Amino acid sequence: MLLVRKRYVVPTLVLISIAYFIFSTLPPGADVSYIKQTSANDIIKSAKDGSHIRWSKHEEQYPIADYISLPTSSPSPIPRIQYDFPSEPWFNRIWRKRKQKAVREAFKHAWKGYKDNAWLKDELSPLSGGYRTSFAGWAATLVDSLDSLIIMGLTDEFDQALQALNDIDFSTTESLQINVFETNIRYLGGLLGAYDLTNGTYPILLKKATEIADFLYGSFDTRNRMPQSRWEWTRSAAGLAIRPSGNTILAELGSFNLEFTRLSQLTGDPKYFDAIQRISDNLEAAQKETQVPGLWPMMVDAQSLRFVDTRFTVGGMADSTYEYLPKEHMLLQARTPQYQRMYESAIASIKDHLLFRPMTRDGKDILFSGNVNALSKSSHQKIEPQAEHLKCFLGGTVGIGAKVFNRSDELPIARKLTDGCIWAYDIMPTGIMPETLYLSPCEHKRDCGWDEKKWYRDIRRRPPKHANIADTDAAAKALIDQFKLPPGVTEIADSRYMLRPEAIESVFIMYRITGDKKYQDAAWRMFKNIDKVTRSKYGHAAITDVRQTKPAQLDYMESFWLAETLKYFYLIFSDPDLISLDEYVLNTEAHPFKRPS
């Protein structure tokens, strides 16, 4: 009997300690003024009997009296986005279909690896055949890939995934913290995209979408209705009031528009649109008051709604906030001018403060978007010439904005941004762009001849790694050899390729906008090079160094490889009416939402 008692005493003490930790160690911004006294006991009881804490609808701390409804004014005409493609010669169709088939085969290889080794887990580990729990353990890759399965005609695989949805319980997770942004774009976006693509044939998709949205909606239950982006959901489940963080990533605040708007359109429930519209109103109110008017800083104080950070970029931590402006305009059928105003203010500032032309030996007229650290509005704001794979979405976004807002003078900018990312792929030994690199910027965008001496100087000035090198051309040449720097590149700060989709995203969009076959040619080069060095036994793996012709692989295959990257490669070789940009809006995870007609 003594042995039996000991067996239960230790686990019980551990569970009580965990419960104490949950309720005594509150996250930044948590409010302890309202606590249900029975909550800790309930959680301990749930843990004892082996069940999880479950989320259910409950009385809100800060309920909404009057919801902001979807705009009801008459829709305004939106110009056509896609190029008017002519009839295709039969021999062109044969070659295009062969390329499309190769992409589909790559997808099937990675999907099989996931299905055989990581089914109903978040992500496959493509080298070991294991799995990772990255996003609450709700089968992120499965949900994220639903519409890719539909698009590629993998009917049996889609049916199997659809059946598996019944086994996913969005009311509970072992994760104590939820990344609300990632959950929104991958799970909610994936379910809504599949629902729209199948014209509502499968009600379970909308049912599950509503479940995950109602769960996420709890993160908005704050005093100012701004979400707690890294949400301590168990505290909310226990009746603890929460507050948004004083350090919220911009993209994690401003990237709910499409998903929540589409759900309100489909369900008729205004609460989802209300949630995102309050964010948009606050963003617009602050847009012209930041240190770089027109742009929002990388970090936002969502608790006090202050936008005082001095760092500005359209790359990681900011990207999809800008991407969603023209897309939300389209999804709302241009019933409100708000998102056009916000986009036009942003694009003017992006052109003035962030875009730069790099030096290239062959004088290519290309553009990249850098970063700015503005200590004050009056300070001289020098562009940090950082190119980043995550920023490669911008060419497609500017292209869409140029079309839907009749800003035709910006279509060449969209081309140059997209061509810049293609160039960054082509100059690397693997034919793949790295995560982050720094370039030697032109003094003038229109007059930019190659200057070898300037390139050497810019390499020597890259802090802090090269701070103590000699101020000589020989020293710069030694760094070029040591770090394998292509002409015009001053540093490769992160040499990995993480299976990212942003470059092919813009290449696809620019092909659909312009009909220029060079984008299909570039896509084929990119795909062949990526498939060659990332293919592994169980799927496709991220790589360590794009400068190596045979780079080492990493045991990572994020869900966006199947949800985005391969989808865009497949679509650029598809018939142009498959996921037409005049019929669908794609969220930042490439999930297609039907534009209301």
Side-chain angles (χ1 to χ4, degrees):
M1 288 296 292
L2 184 61
L3 290 175
V4 173
R5 284 174 185 163
K6 284 184 177 178
R7 227 173 78 196
Y8 288 102
V9 167
V10 174
T12 301
L13 289 174
V14 171
L15 291 169
I16 292 172
S17 299
I18 291 171
Y20 175 80
F21 173 79
I22 291 172
F23 291 100
S24 62
T25 310
L26 300 181
D31 189 341
V32 298
S33 61
Y34 177 77
I35 302 176
K36 291 181 178 177
Q37 296 300 320
T38 60
S39 297
N41 292 332
D42 290 344
I43 289 176
I44 293 172
K45 182 178 182 298
S46 296
K48 275 184 176 180
D49 63 22
S51 61
H52 291 301
I53 306 163
R54 292 190 178 275
W55 176 264
S56 60
K57 292 183 180 179
H58 60 279
E59 184 177 347
E60 289 188 302
Q61 302 287 311
Y62 303 102
I64 300 295
D66 295 304
Y67 290 118
I68 302 171
S69 298
L70 288 162
T72 57
S73 59
S74 298
S76 298
I78 298 175
R80 179 181 172 87
I81 297 175
Q82 289 212 159
Y83 179 72
D84 188 11
F85 288 89
S87 299
E88 182 181 28
W90 64 269
F91 51 87
N92 286 0
R93 180 180 177 82
I94 289 173
W95 282 108
R96 175 176 61 79
K97 287 292 186 181
R98 287 182 180 177
K99 294 169 183 175
Q100 188 184 52
K101 184 179 179 181
V103 177
R104 189 172 185 264
E105 187 279 326
F107 181 98
K108 289 174 68 176
H109 170 69
W111 178 258
K112 184 178 186 302
Y114 172 73
K115 185 174 65 175
D116 292 348
N117 300 280
W119 190 244
L120 286 177
K121 305 299 183 182
D122 280 348
E123 292 176 349
L124 169 71
S125 298
L127 303 184
S128 62
Y131 65 86
R132 294 198 307 153
T133 299
S134 311
F135 303 107
W138 292 320
T141 294
L142 185 151
V143 178
D144 220 2
S145 303
L146 286 170
D147 50 38
S148 295
L149 294 170
I150 298 166
I151 288 168
M152 296 188 190
L154 299 172
T155 306
D156 292 342
E157 290 85 349
F158 173 72
D159 289 343
Q160 187 179 18
L162 201 63
Q163 289 296 319
L165 280 180
N166 290 304
D167 297 326
I168 303 174
D169 184 357
F170 287 124
S171 71
T172 188
T173 170
E174 293 181 0
S175 300
L176 293 179
Q177 189 180 79
I178 298 295
N179 186 319
V180 181
F181 162 76
E182 295 287 0
T183 305
N184 173 63
I185 65 172
R186 299 186 195 225
Y187 289 109
L188 181 55
L191 292 162
L192 291 175
Y195 183 81
D196 272 351
L197 271 185
T198 54
N199 297 311
T201 303
Y202 304 100
I204 189 175
L205 293 168
L206 187 57
K207 176 178 177 289
K208 288 293 186 179
T210 305
E211 285 179 13
I212 191 68
D214 285 344
F215 179 80
L216 293 178
Y217 191 74
S219 69
F220 289 79
D221 187 13
T222 65
R223 192 179 299 277
N224 64 4
R225 301 302 299 187
M226 297 298 103
Q228 186 185 63
S229 59
R230 304 302 172 94
W231 179 34
E232 299 283 343
W233 74 277
T234 56
R235 307 184 195 282
S236 296
L240 292 170
I242 59 170
R243 292 186 299 197
S245 172
N247 290 291
T248 298
I249 294 170
L250 174 63
E252 294 186 356
L253 182 66
S255 306
F256 297 95
N257 306 60
L258 298 183
E259 298 80 10
F260 275 45
T261 295
R262 188 59 184 143
L263 190 58
S264 278
Q265 290 174 341
L266 290 170
T267 63
D269 190 335
K271 73 178 184 182
Y272 309 111
F273 179 75
D274 172 273
I276 64 94
Q277 189 57 43
R278 292 173 188 274
I279 296 174
S280 294
D281 290 344
N282 282 309
L283 288 176
E284 185 178 31
Q287 189 172 14
K288 295 184 179 179
E289 305 302 322
T290 67
Q291 298 292 358
V292 181
L295 303 180
W296 300 282
M298 288 169 55
M299 301 297 294
V300 177
D301 182 347
Q303 184 174 314
S304 62
L305 289 171
R306 299 196 320 144
F307 295 75
V308 296
D309 185 17
T310 61
R311 297 166 297 169
F312 294 82
T313 182
V314 295
M317 302 174 70
D319 43 12
S320 46
T321 295
Y322 297 99
E323 175 191 352
Y324 273 20
L325 297 177
K327 291 182 175 182
E328 179 73 353
H329 177 83
M330 290 189 287
L331 195 60
L332 291 175
Q333 299 173 281
R335 291 177 183 268
T336 168
Q338 180 181 22
Y339 291 94
Q340 180 170 358
R341 289 196 305 266
M342 294 168 76
Y343 176 81
E344 290 179 341
S345 182
I347 191 62
S349 196
I350 287 169
K351 290 192 295 184
D352 288 345
H353 299 286
L354 296 181
L355 299 189
F356 70 95
R357 179 180 175 182
M359 283 198 316
T360 66
R361 272 198 172 144
D362 55 2
K364 280 189 180 295
D365 190 3
I366 56 178
L367 290 174
F368 286 91
S369 179
N371 308 323
V372 162
N373 195 335
L375 297 178
S376 69
K377 289 184 180 180
S378 59
S379 67
H380 178 65
Q381 297 163 0
K382 185 177 181 181
I383 296 176
E384 179 188 32
Q386 181 212 56
E388 186 182 7
H389 200 289
L390 284 165
K391 294 174 183 171
C392 284
F393 84 96
L394 187 60
T397 293
V398 174
I400 289 173
K403 298 294 286 187
V404 301
F405 298 133
N406 284 312
R407 300 173 67 88
S408 57
D409 58 319
E410 287 166 0
L411 197 55
I413 294 175
R415 276 185 173 270
K416 291 175 184 179
L417 286 165
T418 305
D419 292 348
C421 289
I422 294 171
W423 172 82
Y425 267 72
D426 288 339
I427 62 172
M428 294 295 162
T430 51
I432 303 172
M433 181 181 179
E435 281 281 291
T436 309
L437 65 161
Y438 289 83
L439 304 172
S440 184
C442 303
E443 297 292 343
H444 306 284
K445 290 180 183 177
R446 292 186 179 180
D447 181 17
C448 188
W450 176 254
D451 185 341
E452 194 100 357
K453 297 288 187 182
K454 180 183 183 304
W455 179 37
Y456 293 162
R457 288 196 302 273
D458 289 344
I459 289 172
R460 294 195 298 268
R461 291 171 181 168
R462 276 300 308 150
K465 198 177 294 183
H466 309 157
N468 297 321
I469 68 166
D471 190 19
T472 64
D473 290 350
K477 290 177 182 178
L479 290 172
I480 291 168
D481 291 340
Q482 180 182 353
F483 295 107
K484 298 183 179 179
L485 302 177
V489 177
T490 61
E491 182 185 356
I492 298 176
D494 188 342
S495 61
R496 297 173 300 166
Y497 172 65
M498 304 298 289
L499 305 176
R500 292 201 185 277
E502 291 78 18
I504 184 56
E505 172 185 351
S506 285
V507 171
F508 159 74
I509 291 171
M510 291 310 297
Y511 172 67
R512 288 289 185 89
I513 287 176
T514 66
D516 192 336
K517 296 288 186 183
K518 80 172 187 179
Y519 291 116
Q520 280 188 320
D521 295 338
W524 184 237
R525 289 197 308 275
M526 293 162 65
F527 171 75
K528 287 193 300 181
N529 291 330
I530 291 171
D531 188 51
K532 178 182 177 181
V533 298
T534 66
R535 188 176 284 250
S536 67
K537 180 178 179 180
Y538 299 108
H540 292 80
I543 58 173
T544 57
D545 195 338
V546 299
R547 296 168 295 186
Q548 306 290 335
T549 54
K550 293 184 178 181
Q553 295 180 328
L554 299 167
D555 206 10
Y556 298 103
M557 189 183 85
E558 283 215 45
S559 67
F560 55 61
W561 170 245
L562 294 172
E564 294 188 77
T565 311
L566 288 177
K567 182 187 294 173
Y568 282 126
F569 276 119
Y570 185 84
L571 286 174
I572 199 171
F573 299 119
S574 71
D575 294 320
D577 59 352
L578 181 61
I579 315 297
S580 167
L581 298 180
D582 293 306
E583 297 177 4
Y584 290 91
V585 173
L586 286 91
N587 86 333
T588 195
E589 194 77 2
H591 296 307
F593 302 157
K594 189 76 172 175
R595 290 171 56 179
S597 60

